Amino acid sequence: MSPGKRWGRSLAIAAPAAVLGLVGVLVVEVALARRGPMLEGGPLDLDGRVGGAEDGPPLRVVWLGDSTAAGVGVEQAADALPHLVAAAYGRPVELTVLAVSGDRIGDVLDDQLPGVAGADPDVVFISIGANDVTHLTTRDDFRDRYRAVLDALPLGSEVVLLGVPDMGAVPRLAQPLRAVAGFRGRELDEVVRQVAREEGARYVPIAAATGPAFRRDPGSSFAADEYHPSAAGYQLWADAVLEVVPTITP
């Protein structure tokens, strides 16, 4: 057997073994991540009036999405992302937060969307995608369901889409799982960017705007579970949102 053939045979044997080894490592790391530190306390009540008592009707704002819109990672509503953004507008805001921790884009479509019409929103914020990354939602499925959500929103509402966060910055995920999550996060984030452009929605580049700071100082940016943003982390997110949507006029 020639050297070339021997090398080819060795690679043919080694490549599947390496893939199986990587899969095994990822399975173990997923199990370890699930058994990581947990946060205490139940869901925050984020609905209601935020801001001053100026004359005139309040801005009606709805948030859809996952734990990042539900405030998981902080202990008080004032530190949650919807409240931080609302408080920065300097006017009365009536918040309706339908986001649920752990939800994916399919849950937004099936479970959260029916509650939007009753709120008669001027603005709808959507922060979703992290759980689609970890649950391996395909790009096509994510895109199709995201478009279905936007198509079903009330006409006349301004729509703001937050991109998928930098999943490659999450300390709770060990390497190489963290790198894989980061790659998938970038794929789905690009879907959000494309859908926003096609549907005429505003897009907030959460990963690009906050990822570097989260990587530099994870101890400050992440909550005690090393997965969700802390109060300081959500402030970075709010700053990114306000950079794209500094004011809203219904």
Side-chain angles (χ1 to χ4, degrees), residues 37-44 71-75 224-225:
M38 304 298 291
L39 297 173
E40 298 180 357
L44 295 173
V72 176
V74 296
E75 297 179 356
D225 66 350

Side-chain angles (χ1 to χ4, degrees), residues 46 50 61 63 68-71 77 79-87 93 95 97:
L46 302 180
V50 177
V61 174
W63 281 79
T68 56
D79 292 325
L81 180 61
H83 275 244
L84 290 171
V85 173
V93 174
L95 274 180
V97 180

Side-chain angles (χ1 to χ4, degrees), residues 66 102-109 128-146 164 180-181 183-189 191-192:
D66 55 25
D103 272 8
R104 290 172 264 171
I105 188 62
D107 301 305
V108 174
L109 180 62
I128 197 74
N131 297 305
D132 291 280
V133 168
T134 58
H135 286 79
L136 305 181
T137 303
T138 66
R139 285 172 56 101
D140 289 345
D141 191 28
F142 188 70
R143 180 185 296 107
D144 291 346
R145 290 174 184 266
Y146 217 129
V164 179
V180 173
F183 172 76
R184 294 213 71 246
R186 290 190 293 275
E187 282 194 319
L188 296 192
D189 182 56
V191 171
V192 178

Side-chain angles (χ1 to χ4, degrees), residues 34-60:
R34 287 175 176 168
R35 292 201 296 266
M38 304 298 291
L39 297 173
E40 298 180 357
L44 295 173
D45 181 6
L46 302 180
D47 289 356
R49 183 71 61 93
V50 177
E54 291 87 346
D55 293 335
L59 184 71
R60 297 181 301 275

Side-chain angles (χ1 to χ4, degrees), residues 51-240:
E54 291 87 346
D55 293 335
L59 184 71
R60 297 181 301 275
V61 174
V62 168
W63 281 79
L64 304 175
D66 55 25
S67 57
T68 56
V72 176
V74 296
E75 297 179 356
Q76 53 188 357
D79 292 325
L81 180 61
H83 275 244
L84 290 171
V85 173
Y89 286 134
R91 57 174 296 180
V93 174
E94 192 67 32
L95 274 180
T96 301
V97 180
L98 301 173
V100 176
S101 179
D103 272 8
R104 290 172 264 171
I105 188 62
D107 301 305
V108 174
L109 180 62
D110 297 336
D111 303 328
Q112 298 181 27
L113 193 59
V116 174
D120 190 22
D122 299 306
V123 190
V124 177
F125 289 89
I126 304 178
S127 180
I128 197 74
N131 297 305
D132 291 280
V133 168
T134 58
H135 286 79
L136 305 181
T137 303
T138 66
R139 285 172 56 101
D140 289 345
D141 191 28
F142 188 70
R143 180 185 296 107
D144 291 346
R145 290 174 184 266
Y146 217 129
R147 284 175 173 161
V149 169
L150 298 189
D151 289 344
L153 291 176
L155 294 176
S157 299
E158 184 166 0
V159 181
V160 182
L161 309 185
L162 278 66
V164 179
D166 181 7
M167 299 298 290
V170 180
R172 184 163 176 157
L173 305 181
Q175 295 289 14
L177 179 60
R178 191 187 308 173
V180 173
F183 172 76
R184 294 213 71 246
R186 290 190 293 275
E187 282 194 319
L188 296 192
D189 182 56
E190 183 56 31
V191 171
V192 178
R193 186 194 302 270
Q194 292 173 355
V195 169
R197 183 172 59 249
E198 293 164 0
E199 300 289 336
R202 300 206 204 186
Y203 164 77
V204 181
I206 289 294
T210 71
F214 273 66
R215 289 176 182 245
R216 283 195 306 269
D217 190 5
S220 172
S221 300
F222 286 96
D225 66 350
E226 300 182 329
Y227 189 83
H228 293 95
S230 63
Y234 279 127
Q235 184 61 64
L236 292 174
W237 279 48
D239 292 343

